[in-house]
Short mmCIF file of all heavy atoms in Angstrom, two decimals:
data_model
loop_
_atom_site.label_atom_id
_atom_site.label_comp_id
_atom_site.label_asym_id
_atom_site.label_seq_id
_atom_site.Cartn_x
_atom_site.Cartn_y
_atom_site.Cartn_z
N GLY I 1167 0.79 -1.22 0.00
CA GLY I 1167 0.00 0.00 0.00
C GLY I 1167 0.82 1.26 0.00
O GLY I 1167 1.69 1.48 -0.83
N GLY I 1168 0.56 2.08 1.03
CA GLY I 1168 1.07 3.44 1.04
C GLY I 1168 2.57 3.56 1.15
O GLY I 1168 3.16 4.46 0.56
N VAL I 1169 3.22 2.67 1.93
CA VAL I 1169 4.66 2.80 2.12
C VAL I 1169 5.40 2.58 0.80
O VAL I 1169 6.31 3.33 0.44
CB VAL I 1169 5.14 1.82 3.20
CG1 VAL I 1169 6.65 1.82 3.30
CG2 VAL I 1169 4.53 2.18 4.54
N ALA I 1170 4.99 1.52 0.05
CA ALA I 1170 5.63 1.28 -1.24
C ALA I 1170 5.37 2.43 -2.20
O ALA I 1170 6.27 2.88 -2.92
CB ALA I 1170 5.11 -0.05 -1.83
N ALA I 1171 4.13 2.91 -2.22
CA ALA I 1171 3.82 4.05 -3.10
C ALA I 1171 4.59 5.30 -2.68
O ALA I 1171 5.07 6.07 -3.51
CB ALA I 1171 2.31 4.32 -3.07
N LEU I 1172 4.74 5.49 -1.36
CA LEU I 1172 5.50 6.64 -0.88
C LEU I 1172 6.96 6.54 -1.26
O LEU I 1172 7.60 7.53 -1.64
CB LEU I 1172 5.35 6.73 0.64
CG LEU I 1172 6.06 7.91 1.32
CD1 LEU I 1172 5.50 9.23 0.79
CD2 LEU I 1172 5.88 7.83 2.84
N SER I 1173 7.52 5.32 -1.20
CA SER I 1173 8.91 5.14 -1.62
C SER I 1173 9.08 5.43 -3.11
O SER I 1173 10.03 6.10 -3.52
CB SER I 1173 9.34 3.70 -1.32
OG SER I 1173 10.65 3.47 -1.79
N LYS I 1174 8.14 4.94 -3.92
CA LYS I 1174 8.22 5.21 -5.36
C LYS I 1174 8.06 6.70 -5.64
O LYS I 1174 8.77 7.27 -6.48
CB LYS I 1174 7.13 4.42 -6.08
CG LYS I 1174 7.17 4.56 -7.59
CD LYS I 1174 6.10 3.70 -8.26
CE LYS I 1174 6.16 3.86 -9.77
NZ LYS I 1174 5.12 3.02 -10.44
N LEU I 1175 7.15 7.33 -4.93
CA LEU I 1175 6.94 8.77 -5.11
C LEU I 1175 8.19 9.55 -4.73
O LEU I 1175 8.58 10.51 -5.40
CB LEU I 1175 5.74 9.23 -4.28
CG LEU I 1175 5.40 10.72 -4.31
CD1 LEU I 1175 5.02 11.14 -5.72
CD2 LEU I 1175 4.26 11.03 -3.35
N THR I 1176 8.86 9.11 -3.65
CA THR I 1176 10.09 9.80 -3.23
C THR I 1176 11.18 9.67 -4.27
O THR I 1176 11.89 10.64 -4.59
CB THR I 1176 10.56 9.22 -1.88
OG1 THR I 1176 9.51 9.34 -0.93
CG2 THR I 1176 11.78 9.95 -1.38
N SER I 1177 11.33 8.46 -4.85
CA SER I 1177 12.35 8.28 -5.88
C SER I 1177 12.04 9.10 -7.12
O SER I 1177 12.94 9.68 -7.75
CB SER I 1177 12.45 6.79 -6.23
OG SER I 1177 11.22 6.31 -6.76
N GLU I 1178 10.77 9.16 -7.50
CA GLU I 1178 10.39 9.97 -8.66
C GLU I 1178 10.67 11.45 -8.41
O GLU I 1178 11.18 12.16 -9.29
CB GLU I 1178 8.92 9.74 -8.99
CG GLU I 1178 8.58 8.34 -9.47
CD GLU I 1178 9.17 8.04 -10.83
OE1 GLU I 1178 9.48 8.99 -11.57
OE2 GLU I 1178 9.36 6.84 -11.13
N MET I 1179 10.33 11.92 -7.22
CA MET I 1179 10.61 13.31 -6.89
C MET I 1179 12.10 13.60 -6.88
O MET I 1179 12.56 14.66 -7.31
CB MET I 1179 10.00 13.64 -5.52
CG MET I 1179 8.49 13.71 -5.51
SD MET I 1179 7.86 15.11 -6.45
CE MET I 1179 8.47 16.46 -5.44
N ASP I 1180 12.90 12.63 -6.43
CA ASP I 1180 14.34 12.81 -6.43
C ASP I 1180 14.88 12.90 -7.85
O ASP I 1180 15.78 13.70 -8.14
CB ASP I 1180 15.00 11.65 -5.67
CG ASP I 1180 16.51 11.81 -5.62
OD1 ASP I 1180 16.98 12.74 -4.94
OD2 ASP I 1180 17.20 11.01 -6.27
N SER I 1181 14.32 12.05 -8.76
CA SER I 1181 14.77 12.13 -10.16
C SER I 1181 14.37 13.42 -10.83
O SER I 1181 15.05 13.92 -11.73
CB SER I 1181 14.20 10.94 -10.94
OG SER I 1181 12.78 11.00 -10.97
N ILE I 1182 13.25 14.01 -10.38
CA ILE I 1182 12.81 15.27 -10.99
C ILE I 1182 13.58 16.46 -10.44
O ILE I 1182 14.02 17.34 -11.18
CB ILE I 1182 11.29 15.45 -10.75
CG1 ILE I 1182 10.51 14.37 -11.50
CG2 ILE I 1182 10.83 16.83 -11.18
CD1 ILE I 1182 9.03 14.37 -11.17
N VAL I 1183 13.77 16.46 -9.13
CA VAL I 1183 14.34 17.64 -8.48
C VAL I 1183 15.85 17.52 -8.33
O VAL I 1183 16.54 18.52 -8.16
CB VAL I 1183 13.67 17.84 -7.10
CG1 VAL I 1183 14.21 19.07 -6.41
CG2 VAL I 1183 12.16 17.94 -7.25
N GLY I 1184 16.39 16.27 -8.41
CA GLY I 1184 17.81 16.09 -8.15
C GLY I 1184 18.69 16.94 -9.06
O GLY I 1184 18.55 16.92 -10.28
N GLY I 1185 19.59 17.71 -8.45
CA GLY I 1185 20.49 18.57 -9.20
C GLY I 1185 19.88 19.86 -9.67
O GLY I 1185 20.52 20.63 -10.40
N ARG I 1186 18.63 20.13 -9.31
CA ARG I 1186 17.96 21.36 -9.75
C ARG I 1186 17.45 22.14 -8.54
O ARG I 1186 16.36 22.72 -8.58
CB ARG I 1186 16.79 21.03 -10.67
CG ARG I 1186 17.18 20.25 -11.92
CD ARG I 1186 15.97 20.01 -12.81
NE ARG I 1186 16.31 19.28 -14.01
CZ ARG I 1186 16.32 17.96 -14.11
NH1 ARG I 1186 16.01 17.23 -13.04
NH2 ARG I 1186 16.64 17.37 -15.24
N GLY I 1187 18.22 22.14 -7.50
CA GLY I 1187 17.80 22.83 -6.29
C GLY I 1187 17.60 24.31 -6.49
O GLY I 1187 16.62 24.90 -6.02
N ASP I 1188 18.53 24.96 -7.23
CA ASP I 1188 18.42 26.41 -7.45
C ASP I 1188 17.17 26.73 -8.26
O ASP I 1188 16.44 27.69 -7.96
CB ASP I 1188 19.67 26.92 -8.17
CG ASP I 1188 20.93 26.74 -7.33
OD1 ASP I 1188 20.78 26.65 -6.10
OD2 ASP I 1188 22.03 26.70 -7.92
N GLN I 1189 16.92 25.92 -9.31
CA GLN I 1189 15.73 26.17 -10.13
C GLN I 1189 14.46 25.97 -9.31
O GLN I 1189 13.49 26.73 -9.44
CB GLN I 1189 15.73 25.24 -11.34
CG GLN I 1189 16.93 25.45 -12.27
CD GLN I 1189 16.91 24.49 -13.43
OE1 GLN I 1189 15.97 23.74 -13.61
NE2 GLN I 1189 17.98 24.50 -14.22
N LEU I 1190 14.47 24.91 -8.48
CA LEU I 1190 13.29 24.66 -7.66
C LEU I 1190 13.06 25.80 -6.66
O LEU I 1190 11.92 26.24 -6.46
CB LEU I 1190 13.45 23.34 -6.93
CG LEU I 1190 12.27 22.91 -6.04
CD1 LEU I 1190 11.02 22.73 -6.87
CD2 LEU I 1190 12.61 21.63 -5.28
N ALA I 1191 14.15 26.30 -6.06
CA ALA I 1191 14.02 27.42 -5.13
C ALA I 1191 13.48 28.66 -5.84
O ALA I 1191 12.62 29.38 -5.32
CB ALA I 1191 15.36 27.71 -4.47
N HIS I 1192 14.00 28.91 -7.06
CA HIS I 1192 13.50 30.06 -7.83
C HIS I 1192 12.03 29.89 -8.17
O HIS I 1192 11.24 30.85 -8.08
CB HIS I 1192 14.33 30.20 -9.11
CG HIS I 1192 13.88 31.33 -10.00
ND1 HIS I 1192 14.04 32.66 -9.67
CD2 HIS I 1192 13.24 31.31 -11.20
CE1 HIS I 1192 13.54 33.41 -10.63
NE2 HIS I 1192 13.04 32.61 -11.57
N LEU I 1193 11.64 28.65 -8.55
CA LEU I 1193 10.24 28.40 -8.88
C LEU I 1193 9.35 28.61 -7.66
O LEU I 1193 8.27 29.23 -7.76
CB LEU I 1193 10.09 26.97 -9.40
CG LEU I 1193 8.66 26.51 -9.72
CD1 LEU I 1193 8.06 27.37 -10.82
CD2 LEU I 1193 8.67 25.04 -10.14
N ILE I 1194 9.80 28.15 -6.51
CA ILE I 1194 9.00 28.34 -5.29
C ILE I 1194 8.88 29.81 -4.96
O ILE I 1194 7.81 30.30 -4.56
CB ILE I 1194 9.64 27.55 -4.13
CG1 ILE I 1194 9.54 26.04 -4.40
CG2 ILE I 1194 8.98 27.90 -2.81
CD1 ILE I 1194 10.25 25.20 -3.38
N THR I 1195 9.98 30.57 -5.15
CA THR I 1195 9.94 32.02 -4.89
C THR I 1195 8.95 32.71 -5.82
O THR I 1195 8.15 33.56 -5.40
CB THR I 1195 11.34 32.62 -5.07
OG1 THR I 1195 12.25 31.95 -4.19
CG2 THR I 1195 11.33 34.10 -4.75
N GLU I 1196 9.00 32.33 -7.11
CA GLU I 1196 8.07 32.95 -8.07
C GLU I 1196 6.62 32.59 -7.73
O GLU I 1196 5.73 33.45 -7.79
CB GLU I 1196 8.41 32.48 -9.49
CG GLU I 1196 9.74 32.97 -10.01
CD GLU I 1196 9.76 34.48 -10.20
OE1 GLU I 1196 8.68 35.06 -10.47
OE2 GLU I 1196 10.84 35.09 -10.05
N MET I 1197 6.39 31.33 -7.37
CA MET I 1197 5.03 30.92 -7.03
C MET I 1197 4.56 31.64 -5.77
O MET I 1197 3.39 32.05 -5.68
CB MET I 1197 4.97 29.41 -6.82
CG MET I 1197 5.17 28.60 -8.09
SD MET I 1197 5.10 26.82 -7.80
CE MET I 1197 3.41 26.65 -7.26
N THR I 1198 5.48 31.83 -4.83
CA THR I 1198 5.11 32.58 -3.62
C THR I 1198 4.74 34.01 -3.97
O THR I 1198 3.76 34.57 -3.44
CB THR I 1198 6.27 32.55 -2.62
OG1 THR I 1198 6.62 31.20 -2.33
CG2 THR I 1198 5.89 33.27 -1.33
N GLY I 1199 5.51 34.63 -4.88
CA GLY I 1199 5.18 35.99 -5.30
C GLY I 1199 3.84 36.06 -6.00
O GLY I 1199 3.06 36.99 -5.79
N VAL I 1200 3.57 35.07 -6.86
CA VAL I 1200 2.29 35.06 -7.57
C VAL I 1200 1.13 34.92 -6.60
O VAL I 1200 0.12 35.63 -6.69
CB VAL I 1200 2.28 33.93 -8.62
CG1 VAL I 1200 0.88 33.76 -9.21
CG2 VAL I 1200 3.27 34.22 -9.72
N VAL I 1201 1.29 33.98 -5.65
CA VAL I 1201 0.23 33.78 -4.67
C VAL I 1201 0.04 35.03 -3.82
O VAL I 1201 -1.10 35.44 -3.52
CB VAL I 1201 0.55 32.56 -3.79
CG1 VAL I 1201 -0.45 32.44 -2.66
CG2 VAL I 1201 0.54 31.29 -4.63
N GLY I 1202 1.16 35.68 -3.44
CA GLY I 1202 1.04 36.92 -2.68
C GLY I 1202 0.35 38.02 -3.46
O GLY I 1202 -0.47 38.76 -2.92
N SER I 1203 0.70 38.13 -4.77
CA SER I 1203 0.04 39.13 -5.60
C SER I 1203 -1.44 38.86 -5.74
O SER I 1203 -2.27 39.78 -5.67
CB SER I 1203 0.70 39.16 -6.98
OG SER I 1203 0.07 40.09 -7.84
N LEU I 1204 -1.80 37.58 -5.93
CA LEU I 1204 -3.22 37.24 -6.00
C LEU I 1204 -3.93 37.56 -4.68
O LEU I 1204 -5.08 38.02 -4.68
CB LEU I 1204 -3.38 35.77 -6.33
CG LEU I 1204 -3.01 35.34 -7.76
CD1 LEU I 1204 -3.11 33.84 -7.90
CD2 LEU I 1204 -3.89 36.03 -8.78
N ASN I 1205 -3.23 37.32 -3.58
CA ASN I 1205 -3.83 37.61 -2.28
C ASN I 1205 -4.02 39.11 -2.10
O ASN I 1205 -5.05 39.56 -1.57
CB ASN I 1205 -2.94 37.05 -1.17
CG ASN I 1205 -3.56 37.21 0.20
OD1 ASN I 1205 -4.77 37.12 0.35
ND2 ASN I 1205 -2.76 37.46 1.21
N ASP I 1206 -3.03 39.90 -2.55
CA ASP I 1206 -3.16 41.35 -2.43
C ASP I 1206 -4.27 41.91 -3.31
O ASP I 1206 -4.87 42.93 -2.99
CB ASP I 1206 -1.83 42.03 -2.78
CG ASP I 1206 -0.72 41.67 -1.80
OD1 ASP I 1206 -1.06 41.29 -0.66
OD2 ASP I 1206 0.47 41.74 -2.17
N ASN I 1207 -4.50 41.24 -4.45
CA ASN I 1207 -5.52 41.72 -5.39
C ASN I 1207 -6.76 40.85 -5.35
O ASN I 1207 -7.47 40.71 -6.35
CB ASN I 1207 -4.94 41.74 -6.81
CG ASN I 1207 -3.80 42.71 -6.97
OD1 ASN I 1207 -4.00 43.91 -7.16
ND2 ASN I 1207 -2.58 42.21 -6.88
N SER I 1208 -7.01 40.24 -4.20
CA SER I 1208 -8.17 39.36 -4.11
C SER I 1208 -9.48 40.10 -4.35
O SER I 1208 -10.40 39.57 -4.97
CB SER I 1208 -8.19 38.68 -2.73
OG SER I 1208 -8.23 39.65 -1.70
N SER I 1209 -9.52 41.35 -3.87
CA SER I 1209 -10.75 42.12 -4.08
C SER I 1209 -10.98 42.40 -5.56
O SER I 1209 -12.11 42.29 -6.06
CB SER I 1209 -10.68 43.43 -3.30
OG SER I 1209 -9.57 44.21 -3.72
N ARG I 1210 -9.90 42.73 -6.29
CA ARG I 1210 -10.04 42.97 -7.72
C ARG I 1210 -10.40 41.68 -8.45
O ARG I 1210 -11.20 41.69 -9.40
CB ARG I 1210 -8.74 43.54 -8.28
CG ARG I 1210 -8.35 44.89 -7.67
CD ARG I 1210 -7.02 45.38 -8.17
NE ARG I 1210 -7.04 45.59 -9.60
CZ ARG I 1210 -5.97 45.96 -10.31
NH1 ARG I 1210 -4.80 46.14 -9.69
NH2 ARG I 1210 -6.05 46.12 -11.60
N VAL I 1211 -9.81 40.56 -8.03
CA VAL I 1211 -10.15 39.28 -8.65
C VAL I 1211 -11.63 38.97 -8.41
O VAL I 1211 -12.34 38.51 -9.32
CB VAL I 1211 -9.24 38.17 -8.09
CG1 VAL I 1211 -9.70 36.81 -8.58
CG2 VAL I 1211 -7.79 38.40 -8.48
N ASP I 1212 -12.09 39.22 -7.18
CA ASP I 1212 -13.52 39.00 -6.90
C ASP I 1212 -14.39 39.90 -7.77
O ASP I 1212 -15.44 39.46 -8.27
CB ASP I 1212 -13.79 39.27 -5.42
CG ASP I 1212 -13.13 38.24 -4.52
OD1 ASP I 1212 -12.82 37.15 -5.02
OD2 ASP I 1212 -12.91 38.54 -3.33
#
């Protein structure tokens, strides 16, 4: 069940993210900025 699936998911995530820590950090920063901008403009979005 879940433990085997979790192990497979961890290996897949490692193959995707491995060696791309800087890019992942930049992506997280950009996503955080986008979410913050959406939060600041929530009234306009509404």
